[in-house]
Protein backbone atom coordinates (compact mmCIF):
# COMPACT_ATOMS: atom_id res chain seq x y z
CA UNK A 1 0.00 0.00 0.00
CA UNK A 2 1.27 3.44 -0.93
CA UNK A 3 0.55 6.58 1.00
CA UNK A 4 0.56 10.06 -0.50
CA UNK A 5 0.34 13.10 1.74
CA UNK A 6 0.09 16.67 0.58
CA UNK A 7 -0.13 19.61 2.91
CA UNK A 8 -1.17 22.62 0.89
CA UNK A 9 -1.54 26.31 1.65
CA UNK A 10 -1.85 29.15 -0.79
CA UNK A 11 0.15 28.41 -3.93
CA UNK A 12 2.66 26.14 -2.18
CA UNK A 13 2.59 22.39 -1.87
CA UNK A 14 4.76 19.84 -0.12
CA UNK A 15 4.54 16.27 -1.39
CA UNK A 16 5.85 13.16 0.31
CA UNK A 17 5.51 9.58 -0.88
CA UNK A 18 6.58 6.41 0.83
CA UNK A 19 5.80 2.71 0.85
CA UNK A 20 3.98 1.45 3.93
CA UNK A 21 5.40 -1.84 5.13
CA UNK A 22 7.02 -4.35 2.83
CA UNK A 23 10.73 -5.01 2.56
CA UNK A 24 12.83 -2.86 4.84
CA UNK A 25 10.50 -2.82 7.86
CA UNK A 26 7.58 -0.64 8.92
CA UNK A 27 6.73 2.63 7.27
CA UNK A 28 8.24 5.79 8.72
CA UNK A 29 6.07 8.35 10.46
CA UNK A 30 4.60 10.92 8.05
CA UNK A 31 6.65 14.08 7.82
CA UNK A 32 4.74 16.98 6.36
CA UNK A 33 6.05 20.51 5.99
CA UNK A 34 3.25 22.74 4.71
CA UNK A 35 4.49 25.44 2.35
CA UNK A 36 2.83 28.30 4.19
CA UNK A 37 3.69 31.45 6.05
CA UNK A 38 3.42 31.64 9.82
CA UNK A 39 0.40 33.90 9.37
CA UNK A 40 -1.43 31.23 7.41
CA UNK A 41 -0.87 28.27 9.71
CA UNK A 42 -0.19 27.81 13.40
CA UNK A 43 3.49 27.80 14.47
CA UNK A 44 3.31 24.07 15.26
CA UNK A 45 1.33 23.27 12.11
CA UNK A 46 3.98 20.91 10.74
CA UNK A 47 3.81 18.72 13.82
CA UNK A 48 0.03 18.95 13.86
CA UNK A 49 -0.28 17.84 10.23
CA UNK A 50 2.16 15.02 10.99
CA UNK A 51 -0.24 13.93 13.73
CA UNK A 52 -3.16 13.97 11.29
CA UNK A 53 -1.27 11.82 8.81
CA UNK A 54 -0.04 9.44 11.48
CA UNK A 55 -3.54 8.90 12.83
CA UNK A 56 -5.00 8.14 9.40
CA UNK A 57 -2.19 5.75 8.56
CA UNK A 58 -2.35 3.95 11.91
CA UNK A 59 -6.14 3.65 11.99
CA UNK A 60 -6.27 2.36 8.43
CA UNK A 61 -3.59 -0.24 9.17
CA UNK A 62 -5.35 -1.38 12.34
CA UNK A 63 -8.69 -1.73 10.53
CA UNK A 64 -7.20 -3.36 7.46
CA UNK A 65 -8.26 -0.49 5.19
CA UNK A 66 -5.95 -0.25 2.18
CA UNK A 67 -7.72 2.31 -0.04
CA UNK A 68 -9.03 5.66 1.18
CA UNK A 69 -8.31 9.39 1.28
CA UNK A 70 -8.61 12.53 3.39
CA UNK A 71 -8.96 16.09 2.09
CA UNK A 72 -9.26 19.24 4.20
CA UNK A 73 -10.29 22.70 2.99
CA UNK A 74 -10.04 25.96 4.88
CA UNK A 75 -12.70 28.68 5.03
CA UNK A 76 -11.25 30.24 1.85
CA UNK A 77 -11.82 26.94 0.00
CA UNK A 78 -8.12 26.15 -0.28
CA UNK A 79 -7.23 22.48 -0.04
CA UNK A 80 -4.79 22.65 2.86
CA UNK A 81 -4.24 18.93 3.33
CA UNK A 82 -4.60 15.75 1.29
CA UNK A 83 -3.67 12.17 2.09
CA UNK A 84 -4.30 9.14 -0.09
CA UNK A 85 -3.81 5.48 0.78
CA UNK A 86 -3.40 2.70 -1.74
CA UNK A 87 -4.94 3.25 -5.16
CA UNK A 88 -7.54 5.76 -3.98
CA UNK A 89 -7.36 9.22 -5.56
CA UNK A 90 -9.31 12.48 -5.15
CA UNK A 91 -10.93 11.75 -8.53
CA UNK A 92 -12.04 8.20 -7.71
CA UNK A 93 -15.82 8.30 -8.08
CA UNK A 94 -17.62 6.08 -5.59
CA UNK A 95 -21.03 5.37 -4.14
CA UNK A 96 -21.25 7.79 -1.21
CA UNK A 97 -24.39 6.30 0.42
CA UNK A 98 -25.83 8.56 3.14
CA UNK A 99 -23.43 11.37 2.31
CA UNK A 100 -26.12 11.97 -0.34
CA UNK A 101 -28.50 13.22 2.35
CA UNK A 102 -26.87 16.62 2.86
CA UNK A 103 -26.75 17.14 -0.91
CA UNK A 104 -30.43 16.23 -1.23
CA UNK A 105 -31.17 18.70 1.55
CA UNK A 106 -29.48 21.46 -0.46
CA UNK A 107 -31.62 20.66 -3.51
CA UNK A 108 -34.75 20.81 -1.38
CA UNK A 109 -33.63 24.03 0.29
CA UNK A 110 -33.44 25.61 -3.15
CA UNK A 111 -36.93 24.43 -4.07
CA UNK A 112 -38.04 26.23 -0.90
CA UNK A 113 -36.07 29.34 -1.88
CA UNK A 114 -38.01 29.42 -5.12
CA UNK A 115 -41.26 29.48 -3.16
CA UNK A 116 -42.47 26.14 -4.50
CA UNK A 117 -42.38 24.43 -1.10
CA UNK A 118 -41.92 25.46 2.52
CA UNK A 119 -40.80 23.51 5.56
CA UNK A 120 -44.47 23.48 6.55
CA UNK A 121 -45.72 22.05 3.24
CA UNK A 122 -47.54 18.81 3.95
CA UNK A 123 -47.89 15.50 2.16
CA UNK A 124 -51.63 16.13 2.15
CA UNK A 125 -51.21 19.38 0.25
CA UNK A 126 -48.58 18.18 -2.23
CA UNK A 127 -49.13 14.43 -2.60
CA UNK A 128 -52.80 14.10 -1.68
CA UNK A 129 -52.11 11.89 1.32
CA UNK A 130 -54.97 11.53 3.80
CA UNK A 131 -55.66 10.90 7.48
CA UNK A 132 -52.68 11.13 9.85
CA UNK A 133 -50.19 10.87 6.99
CA UNK A 134 -51.56 14.11 5.51
CA UNK A 135 -50.06 16.07 8.40
CA UNK A 136 -46.45 15.10 7.67
CA UNK A 137 -44.50 18.25 6.80
CA UNK A 138 -41.33 18.69 4.82
CA UNK A 139 -39.67 19.67 8.10
CA UNK A 140 -40.62 16.26 9.54
CA UNK A 141 -39.26 14.52 6.46
CA UNK A 142 -35.92 16.38 6.44
CA UNK A 143 -35.40 15.69 10.15
CA UNK A 144 -36.48 12.02 9.96
CA UNK A 145 -39.32 12.63 12.42
CA UNK A 146 -42.17 11.95 9.97
CA UNK A 147 -43.38 8.89 11.86
CA UNK A 148 -43.07 6.77 8.71
CA UNK A 149 -41.42 3.39 8.79
CA UNK A 150 -37.78 4.33 8.07
CA UNK A 151 -37.23 1.66 5.40
CA UNK A 152 -39.22 0.16 2.55
CA UNK A 153 -38.19 -2.45 -0.06
CA UNK A 154 -39.33 -0.14 -2.86
CA UNK A 155 -36.28 2.09 -2.38
CA UNK A 156 -34.08 -0.72 -3.74
CA UNK A 157 -36.21 -1.42 -6.84
CA UNK A 158 -34.72 0.13 -10.02
CA UNK A 159 -37.59 -0.87 -12.32
CA UNK A 160 -40.16 1.55 -10.90
CA UNK A 161 -40.49 5.32 -10.61
CA UNK A 162 -40.02 7.51 -7.55
CA UNK A 163 -43.77 8.18 -7.65
CA UNK A 164 -44.52 4.45 -7.52
CA UNK A 165 -42.11 3.92 -4.64
CA UNK A 166 -43.64 6.75 -2.63
CA UNK A 167 -47.12 5.32 -3.23
CA UNK A 168 -45.90 2.07 -1.66
CA UNK A 169 -44.44 3.99 1.29
CA UNK A 170 -47.79 5.72 1.77
CA UNK A 171 -49.58 2.37 2.02
CA UNK A 172 -47.66 1.29 5.14
CA UNK A 173 -49.11 2.19 8.58
CA UNK A 174 -47.23 4.91 10.44
CA UNK A 175 -44.82 4.09 13.22
CA UNK A 176 -45.60 7.21 15.28
CA UNK A 177 -47.35 10.61 14.98
CA UNK A 178 -45.29 13.20 13.07
CA UNK A 179 -42.75 15.09 15.17
CA UNK A 180 -42.67 12.60 18.03
CA UNK A 181 -40.09 9.98 17.02
CA UNK A 182 -36.74 10.04 15.20
CA UNK A 183 -35.91 7.08 12.97
CA UNK A 184 -32.92 7.28 10.65
CA UNK A 185 -33.77 5.77 7.28
CA UNK A 186 -34.41 6.27 3.58
CA UNK A 187 -38.19 6.64 3.28
CA UNK A 188 -38.36 10.21 4.62
CA UNK A 189 -36.23 11.72 1.86
CA UNK A 190 -37.81 9.50 -0.79
CA UNK A 191 -41.12 11.21 0.04
CA UNK A 192 -39.48 14.66 0.21
CA UNK A 193 -37.89 14.08 -3.19
CA UNK A 194 -41.25 13.17 -4.67
CA UNK A 195 -42.77 16.35 -3.23
CA UNK A 196 -40.04 18.30 -5.07
CA UNK A 197 -40.80 16.42 -8.30
CA UNK A 198 -44.50 17.27 -8.06
CA UNK A 199 -44.09 21.01 -7.45
CA UNK A 200 -41.31 21.49 -10.03
CA UNK A 201 -42.57 19.11 -12.70
CA UNK A 202 -39.04 17.67 -12.97
CA UNK A 203 -37.56 14.30 -12.11
CA UNK A 204 -35.26 14.20 -9.10
CA UNK A 205 -32.11 13.72 -11.18
CA UNK A 206 -33.07 16.56 -13.52
CA UNK A 207 -33.69 18.77 -10.52
CA UNK A 208 -30.33 17.84 -8.97
CA UNK A 209 -28.51 18.41 -12.25
CA UNK A 210 -30.09 21.80 -12.92
CA UNK A 211 -29.87 23.00 -9.31
CA UNK A 212 -26.39 21.85 -8.33
CA UNK A 213 -24.44 19.69 -10.76
CA UNK A 214 -24.45 21.94 -13.82
CA UNK A 215 -23.93 25.24 -11.94
CA UNK A 216 -21.00 23.68 -10.06
CA UNK A 217 -19.45 22.21 -13.21
CA UNK A 218 -19.95 18.58 -12.19
CA UNK A 219 -20.01 15.93 -14.94
CA UNK A 220 -23.01 13.78 -15.79
CA UNK A 221 -21.62 10.81 -13.87
CA UNK A 222 -22.35 12.64 -10.63
CA UNK A 223 -25.94 11.50 -10.35
CA UNK A 224 -28.36 9.46 -8.23
CA UNK A 225 -29.06 5.77 -8.74
CA UNK A 226 -31.34 3.22 -7.12
CA UNK A 227 -28.31 0.96 -6.64
CA UNK A 228 -25.28 3.28 -6.77
CA UNK A 229 -22.58 0.63 -6.34
CA UNK A 230 -23.86 -1.05 -9.51
CA UNK A 231 -24.75 2.29 -11.18
CA UNK A 232 -28.21 0.86 -11.72
CA UNK A 233 -31.58 2.62 -11.91
CA UNK A 234 -32.40 6.27 -12.51
CA UNK A 235 -36.22 6.44 -12.49
CA UNK A 236 -36.42 5.55 -8.79
CA UNK A 237 -33.28 7.23 -7.44
CA UNK A 238 -32.40 6.65 -3.80
CA UNK A 239 -32.67 10.24 -2.62
CA UNK A 240 -31.17 9.42 0.77
CA UNK A 241 -28.21 7.44 -0.50
CA UNK A 242 -27.93 6.99 -4.25
CA UNK A 243 -25.38 9.61 -5.29
CA UNK A 244 -22.00 8.83 -6.83
CA UNK A 245 -19.18 11.37 -6.62
CA UNK A 246 -15.44 11.69 -6.13
CA UNK A 247 -13.85 13.63 -3.30
CA UNK A 248 -13.00 16.51 -5.62
CA UNK A 249 -16.56 16.57 -6.95
CA UNK A 250 -18.18 16.34 -3.55
CA UNK A 251 -15.95 19.12 -2.23
CA UNK A 252 -17.87 21.62 -4.35
CA UNK A 253 -21.17 20.42 -2.92
CA UNK A 254 -19.75 20.55 0.61
CA UNK A 255 -18.36 24.04 0.06
CA UNK A 256 -21.84 25.20 -0.89
CA UNK A 257 -23.18 23.86 2.42
CA UNK A 258 -20.27 25.31 4.40
CA UNK A 259 -20.96 28.76 2.95
CA UNK A 260 -24.70 28.39 3.56
CA UNK A 261 -25.60 28.26 -0.10
CA UNK A 262 -23.34 31.14 -1.16
CA UNK A 263 -20.41 29.75 -3.14
CA UNK A 264 -18.87 30.18 -6.62
CA UNK A 265 -21.28 32.98 -7.40
CA UNK A 266 -24.31 30.82 -6.61
CA UNK A 267 -27.18 31.39 -4.21
CA UNK A 268 -28.90 28.14 -3.32
CA UNK A 269 -31.35 27.82 -0.48
CA UNK A 270 -31.51 30.60 2.10
CA UNK A 271 -29.30 31.60 5.00
CA UNK A 272 -32.19 30.87 7.35
CA UNK A 273 -32.57 27.32 6.03
CA UNK A 274 -28.89 26.53 6.49
CA UNK A 275 -29.11 27.95 10.02
CA UNK A 276 -32.02 25.60 10.70
CA UNK A 277 -30.08 22.69 9.23
CA UNK A 278 -27.66 22.84 12.15
CA UNK A 279 -30.40 22.79 14.81
CA UNK A 280 -32.61 19.96 16.04
CA UNK A 281 -36.22 20.92 15.23
CA UNK A 282 -37.88 18.56 17.73
CA UNK A 283 -35.60 18.18 20.77
CA UNK A 284 -38.15 16.14 22.76
CA UNK A 285 -38.58 13.34 20.20
CA UNK A 286 -38.17 9.71 21.18
CA UNK A 287 -34.99 8.44 19.54
CA UNK A 288 -35.64 5.21 17.70
CA UNK A 289 -33.18 4.08 15.04
CA UNK A 290 -29.98 6.12 15.45
CA UNK A 291 -26.68 4.83 14.05
CA UNK A 292 -24.74 7.43 16.04
CA UNK A 293 -26.37 6.34 19.28
CA UNK A 294 -25.48 2.75 18.46
CA UNK A 295 -21.84 3.87 18.11
CA UNK A 296 -21.94 5.55 21.52
CA UNK A 297 -22.20 9.17 20.36
CA UNK A 298 -24.85 11.54 21.79
CA UNK A 299 -25.33 13.40 18.51
CA UNK A 300 -28.82 14.31 17.30
CA UNK A 301 -30.12 15.21 13.85
CA UNK A 302 -31.03 18.48 12.17
CA UNK A 303 -32.26 18.88 8.58
CA UNK A 304 -30.45 16.20 6.52
CA UNK A 305 -27.32 16.42 8.70
CA UNK A 306 -25.96 15.03 11.94
CA UNK A 307 -25.30 17.64 14.63
CA UNK A 308 -21.89 17.06 16.17
CA UNK A 309 -22.17 19.04 19.38
CA UNK A 310 -23.83 18.89 22.79
CA UNK A 311 -26.24 21.78 22.13
CA UNK A 312 -28.35 20.52 19.20
CA UNK A 313 -31.48 22.40 20.27
CA UNK A 314 -29.73 25.76 19.89
CA UNK A 315 -27.41 24.83 17.02
CA UNK A 316 -24.05 23.28 16.17
CA UNK A 317 -20.98 24.62 14.38
CA UNK A 318 -20.15 21.13 13.15
CA UNK A 319 -22.41 18.92 11.03
CA UNK A 320 -21.75 15.73 9.09
CA UNK A 321 -23.27 13.20 6.72
CA UNK A 322 -21.40 9.87 6.91
CA UNK A 323 -22.29 7.00 4.61
CA UNK A 324 -22.53 3.25 4.98
CA UNK A 325 -19.51 2.66 2.74
CA UNK A 326 -17.31 4.97 4.81
CA UNK A 327 -17.43 8.16 2.73
CA UNK A 328 -17.72 10.87 5.40
CA UNK A 329 -18.02 14.61 4.77
CA UNK A 330 -18.19 17.10 7.62
CA UNK A 331 -17.79 20.80 8.25
CA UNK A 332 -16.84 22.84 11.29
CA UNK A 333 -17.64 26.53 10.98
CA UNK A 334 -16.18 27.19 14.44
CA UNK A 335 -12.81 25.75 13.44
CA UNK A 336 -13.19 27.23 9.93
CA UNK A 337 -12.78 24.21 7.68
CA UNK A 338 -14.59 21.38 5.91
CA UNK A 339 -13.27 17.93 5.14
CA UNK A 340 -13.94 14.61 3.46
CA UNK A 341 -12.88 11.08 4.26
CA UNK A 342 -13.19 9.32 0.91
CA UNK A 343 -13.63 5.57 0.49
CA UNK A 344 -16.02 2.88 -0.68
CA UNK A 345 -15.65 -0.09 1.63
CA UNK A 346 -17.56 -3.31 2.14
CA UNK A 347 -18.05 -4.82 5.56
CA UNK A 348 -15.24 -7.28 4.86
CA UNK A 349 -12.84 -4.39 4.22
CA UNK A 350 -12.57 -3.36 7.87
CA UNK A 351 -12.08 -4.84 11.28
CA UNK A 352 -14.86 -3.54 13.50
CA UNK A 353 -17.27 -2.13 10.92
CA UNK A 354 -17.09 0.48 8.17
CA UNK A 355 -19.20 3.21 9.77
CA UNK A 356 -17.51 2.83 13.14
CA UNK A 357 -14.13 3.15 11.43
CA UNK A 358 -14.94 6.32 9.50
CA UNK A 359 -17.02 8.06 12.17
CA UNK A 360 -14.51 7.37 14.94
CA UNK A 361 -11.68 8.55 12.72
CA UNK A 362 -13.53 11.74 11.79
CA UNK A 363 -14.27 12.60 15.41
CA UNK A 364 -10.73 11.87 16.57
CA UNK A 365 -9.21 13.89 13.72
CA UNK A 366 -11.23 17.03 14.50
CA UNK A 367 -9.05 18.40 17.36
CA UNK A 368 -5.85 17.64 15.41
CA UNK A 369 -7.15 19.50 12.36
CA UNK A 370 -8.24 22.48 14.44
CA UNK A 371 -4.76 22.65 15.99
CA UNK A 372 -3.06 22.44 12.59
CA UNK A 373 -5.23 25.30 11.31
CA UNK A 374 -4.54 27.38 14.41
CA UNK A 375 -8.23 27.45 15.40
Amino acid sequence: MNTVIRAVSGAGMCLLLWACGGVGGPAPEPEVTPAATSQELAPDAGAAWNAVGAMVTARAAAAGVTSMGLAIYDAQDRKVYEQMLGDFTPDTRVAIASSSKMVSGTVLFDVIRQGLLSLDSTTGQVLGWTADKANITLRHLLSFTSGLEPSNPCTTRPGITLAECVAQIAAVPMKAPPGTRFDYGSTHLQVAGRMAEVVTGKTWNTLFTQTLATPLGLPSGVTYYTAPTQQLGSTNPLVAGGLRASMNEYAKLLALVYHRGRYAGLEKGTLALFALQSREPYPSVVVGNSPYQELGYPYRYGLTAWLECTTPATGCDSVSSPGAFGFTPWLDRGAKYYAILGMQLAGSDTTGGVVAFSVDLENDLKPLIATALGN
Side-chain angles (χ1 to χ4, degrees), residues 258 273 357 359:
Y258 179 85
L273 285 168
F357 166 74
V359 167

Side-chain angles (χ1 to χ4, degrees), residues 20-96:
C20 293
V23 179
E29 288 296 312
E31 295 180 359
V32 182
T33 307
T37 67
S38 59
Q39 288 77 29
E40 291 174 311
L41 296 175
D44 59 348
W49 288 125
N50 287 344
V52 169
M55 177 175 286
V56 172
T57 301
R59 292 290 185 85
V65 175
T66 60
S67 181
M68 63 169 289
L70 169 66
I72 302 166
Y73 297 79
D74 67 13
Q76 288 73 47
D77 306 304
R78 298 174 299 188
K79 186 185 287 187
V80 294
Y81 184 86
E82 184 176 276
Q83 179 176 0
M84 297 293 142
L85 304 182
D87 59 357
F88 204 87
T89 78
D91 294 313
T92 302
R93 188 176 297 150
V94 295
I96 65 172

Side-chain angles (χ1 to χ4, degrees), residues 283-360:
S284 62
V285 293
V286 172
V287 177
N289 179 44
S290 172
Y292 260 112
Q293 191 173 76
E294 293 171 5
L295 292 173
Y297 292 92
Y299 301 149
R300 306 293 284 252
Y301 206 76
L303 302 182
T304 68
W306 287 101
L307 310 180
E308 298 196 346
C309 75
T310 58
T311 57
T314 57
C316 295
D317 286 335
S318 183
V319 302
S320 68
S321 192
F325 308 132
F327 197 97
T328 299
W330 77 98
L331 61 85
D332 192 328
R333 295 189 181 100
K336 301 177 182 178
Y337 77 92
Y338 52 96
I340 302 167
L341 282 167
M343 63 194 88
Q344 182 183 305
L345 305 178
S348 59
D349 292 330
T350 62
T351 301
V354 174
V355 178
F357 166 74
S358 60
V359 167
D360 288 346

Side-chain angles (χ1 to χ4, degrees), residues 9-28:
S9 182
M13 181 188 302
C14 180
L15 172 63
L16 177 68
L17 298 95
W18 68 89
C20 293
V23 179

